[in-house]
Amino acid sequence: TKEKSNNIIKNLKYEVALGDGSKYEIKSEFSEITFEGNIETILMKKVTAIFTDRNNKKLYVNSKNAIFDSNSYNTFFKDNIIIKFGANKITSNKLDFNITENNILIYDNVVYTGKDKTINTDNIKIDIITKNIEIFMDEAMNNVKIMSF
């Protein structure tokens, strides 16, 4: 049988220096560290994360829950996600921060609000190195909705 043990920690914080000079910081009010064999996974509640690129531009993520892989640093955020960068805001139900592939995928009820527009879509994918952004629907016959004001 697999050996499993858990530990609860308040106010846990991880800081990760990434290879391109950027950094990733994640913290939570409550965390449960779980081990299955040699794999450590952190179940986080009331989560705040900051991704700072090499030019010191910041992207903030807040969510109700997250699962953090302490080996790869990949993080799956879920529930009441709010992402802020500059004057822009994105809300969604799920976000995958994949450090190994250098991208952020925001999905499930995505709403982007900018200075003069709102976009409703299924997915927003951000390349954290190039800053390229893809906005797309799950099904090709559905359209991304853009409202200008």
Side-chain angles (χ1 to χ4, degrees), residues 51 57-61 82-91 104 106 111-115 124 126 131 133:
F51 172 76
K57 291 186 179 176
K58 297 181 186 300
L59 182 136
Y60 299 89
V61 178
I82 299 171
I83 302 127
K84 292 183 180 178
F85 54 102
N88 306 294
K89 178 180 166 184
I90 301 171
T91 58
I104 297 169
I106 305 158
V111 179
Y112 163 87
T113 307
K115 183 178 173 185
I124 296 177
I126 304 169
K131 306 298 186 282
I133 297 173

Side-chain angles (χ1 to χ4, degrees), residues 7-15 25-33 42-48:
N7 298 296
I8 305 290
I9 297 175
K10 288 184 180 180
N11 301 316
L12 181 65
K13 180 177 176 180
Y14 275 89
E15 292 183 21
E25 176 184 305
I26 185 166
K27 55 188 170 182
S28 63
E29 286 188 29
F30 301 97
S31 298
E32 180 180 3
I33 299 175
I42 295 84
L43 309 176
M44 304 176 126
K45 295 193 179 298
K46 297 185 179 180
V47 184
T48 302

Side-chain angles (χ1 to χ4, degrees), residues 126-141:
I126 304 169
D127 184 307
I128 60 176
I129 304 295
T130 65
K131 306 298 186 282
N132 288 339
I133 297 173
E134 291 178 63
I135 299 172
F136 58 98
M137 300 299 286
D138 290 329
E139 299 191 22
M141 68 178 144

Side-chain angles (χ1 to χ4, degrees), residues 56-143:
N56 209 33
K57 291 186 179 176
K58 297 181 186 300
L59 182 136
Y60 299 89
V61 178
N62 291 293
S63 71
K64 188 175 177 183
N65 298 294
I67 300 170
F68 178 77
D69 181 327
S70 65
N71 293 325
S72 68
Y73 310 123
N74 291 341
T75 311
F76 168 65
F77 297 87
K78 62 182 183 173
D79 306 321
N80 301 330
I81 297 169
I82 299 171
I83 302 127
K84 292 183 180 178
F85 54 102
N88 306 294
K89 178 180 166 184
I90 301 171
T91 58
S92 73
N93 294 328
K94 296 178 182 169
L95 181 152
D96 293 344
F97 185 21
N98 188 328
I99 290 177
T100 53
E101 293 183 12
N102 295 314
N103 68 51
I104 297 169
L105 178 63
I106 305 158
Y107 59 106
D108 193 8
N109 196 28
V110 180
V111 179
Y112 163 87
T113 307
K115 183 178 173 185
D116 57 359
K117 70 177 88 28
T118 298
I119 299 172
N120 292 47
T121 185
D122 289 338
N123 305 280
I124 296 177
K125 189 173 188 177
I126 304 169
D127 184 307
I128 60 176
I129 304 295
T130 65
K131 306 298 186 282
N132 288 339
I133 297 173
E134 291 178 63
I135 299 172
F136 58 98
M137 300 299 286
D138 290 329
E139 299 191 22
M141 68 178 144
N142 294 336
N143 295 319

